[in-house]
Amino acid sequence: MAVDLHTHSTMSDGSFTPTELLEEAASIGLSAMALTDHDTLDGIGEAALAADRLGIRLVPGVELSLEWTPGTMHVVVLFLDQTSGLANRLADLRDGRDDRNTAILHRLADLGVTISPEELAQTAGEGAVGRPHIAALLVEKGHAESIQIAFELYLAKGRPAYVGRARLPPEEAFLLSREAGGVPVLAHPHTLGIDRSSEIAEALDWLVSIGLVGIEAHYGGYDGFHRSGLVALAEKFGLVASGGSDFHGTYKPDTPLGFGLAGIPIPDSVLSDLESVRP
Ligand code: AMP
Ligand code: ZN
Ligand code: FE
Ligand code: FE
């Protein structure tokens, strides 16, 4: 059986509702799926109902963006149960998104691209608003041919409409994860922006020492060669290998649920391995 432990719904920057995600998971034969929206737990209730009805296991989760340079550090936190402390912090993070998004719209206006706050709110719907929503509007208005190109032209780090936002220090994120009963997993490790093996070793040693538990080896964008390299890396640093597609529906059109770009399923053994290291 296969699983998918990294997905996004309409509660953040995915295009499928939580129910539609679980229905898709059922139709492709997954035994378990984690909902890991950015900075919000608002989809979990609906997802749990759909999962029950469809006979799939739902793993409650969230994806957090952490303070890190030179690249981007995201963690997917799996198996959340005690969510009160985390929920308060997530509300702050969503406020930080709103301020950042307003600043991005101003930058775009300076570049001659008009997107109103109302248009953004309408596209994003309820839940956490993110750059992919702005990217979709840039495509809709003819300023970019695809969401990817909208990032490359305007929204990615270093591009003219990029604005940073408040992120969690890794120490705090791992503490909050543990208090919430969760298992923190380093998402899409290539985005850390480090290549030298000595730097990777230094980063992973440090992250493990402050509470990182897992690492995404079976990521939607990785082929089999890349995945086995990361499984070996996980073993070397005492991390549990996880896996997820990072499905976003139309906001990331090349990545299907479950199987990712290369069409490779994620073994359900990752779920039992992660289960065994729950706090
Ligand atoms: P935000 O959380 O608003 O900063 O947006 C981050 C999300 O944007 C990520 O989770 C990805 O879904 C998407 N994203 C980030 N960088 C890129 C990129 N270069 N191309 C396409 N999508 C991206
Ligand atoms: Zn996203
Ligand atoms: Fe991410
Ligand atoms: Fe993600």
Side-chain angles (χ1 to χ4, degrees):
M1 288 292 260
V3 300
D4 189 338
L5 303 180
H6 185 164
T7 72
H8 297 273
S9 77
T10 46
M11 294 300 169
S12 66
D13 53 4
S15 67
F16 283 41
T17 65
T19 301
E20 288 166 348
L21 267 181
L22 269 303
E23 282 168 349
E24 177 72 6
S27 82
I28 63 172
L30 299 186
S31 60
M33 192 201 91
L35 180 64
T36 57
D37 276 315
H38 299 278
D39 299 340
T40 183
L41 309 172
D42 288 350
I44 304 283
E46 179 187 325
L49 287 176
D52 265 359
R53 173 168 61 81
L54 295 159
I56 294 181
R57 170 157 181 210
L58 176 77
V59 176
V62 70
E63 183 171 12
L64 304 172
S65 306
L66 311 191
E67 286 176 1
W68 175 257
T69 49
T72 300
M73 189 190 294
H74 288 180
V75 292
V76 159
V77 188
L78 302 171
F79 307 112
L80 297 172
D81 50 27
Q82 302 289 324
T83 54
S84 47
L86 186 63
N88 292 335
R89 206 65 181 89
L90 295 180
D92 298 339
L93 294 169
R94 291 196 300 274
D95 289 345
R97 286 180 170 275
D98 292 341
D99 297 343
R100 186 271 310 254
N101 292 334
T102 304
I104 293 178
L105 297 189
H106 281 126
R107 287 274 178 99
L108 286 171
D110 292 343
L111 297 165
V113 174
T114 319
I115 295 175
S116 70
E118 293 74 25
E119 285 173 306
L120 179 56
Q122 176 153 24
T123 294
E126 52 186 332
V129 185
R131 283 179 289 162
H133 297 120
I134 301 175
L137 280 162
L138 287 167
V139 174
E140 196 181 305
K141 291 175 171 247
H143 298 287
E145 277 169 32
S146 68
I147 287 184
Q148 184 62 39
I149 291 173
F151 269 89
E152 282 162 21
L153 290 176
Y154 296 101
L155 298 169
K157 209 170 187 173
R159 304 306 299 153
Y162 176 79
V163 179
R165 66 184 170 89
R167 289 162 190 274
L168 286 172
E171 292 88 341
E172 184 187 353
F174 299 153
L175 195 66
L176 279 171
S177 303
R178 203 170 64 214
E179 284 169 1
V183 171
V185 172
L186 180 66
H188 40 70
H190 70 283
T191 65
L192 290 180
I194 49 178
D195 298 316
R196 298 221 323 264
S197 58
S198 59
E199 288 173 332
I200 293 171
E202 195 184 340
L204 291 180
D205 277 334
W206 174 65
L207 290 167
V208 168
S209 77
I210 61 170
L212 183 68
V213 177
I215 185 169
E216 268 178 359
H218 305 274
Y219 182 67
Y222 299 163
D223 63 17
F225 179 75
H226 199 162
R227 292 182 191 206
S228 28
L230 282 163
V231 168
L233 194 74
E235 220 158 276
K236 184 168 167 197
F237 288 87
L239 289 162
V240 181
S242 182
S245 63
D246 204 1
F247 181 74
H248 284 74
T250 57
Y251 288 98
K252 202 170 171 189
D254 297 333
T255 303
L257 191 72
F259 300 93
L261 277 172
I264 312 172
I266 300 160
D268 58 2
S269 57
V270 301
L271 184 58
S272 41
D273 292 347
L274 289 160
E275 186 99 64
S276 71
V277 292
R278 285 173 74 166

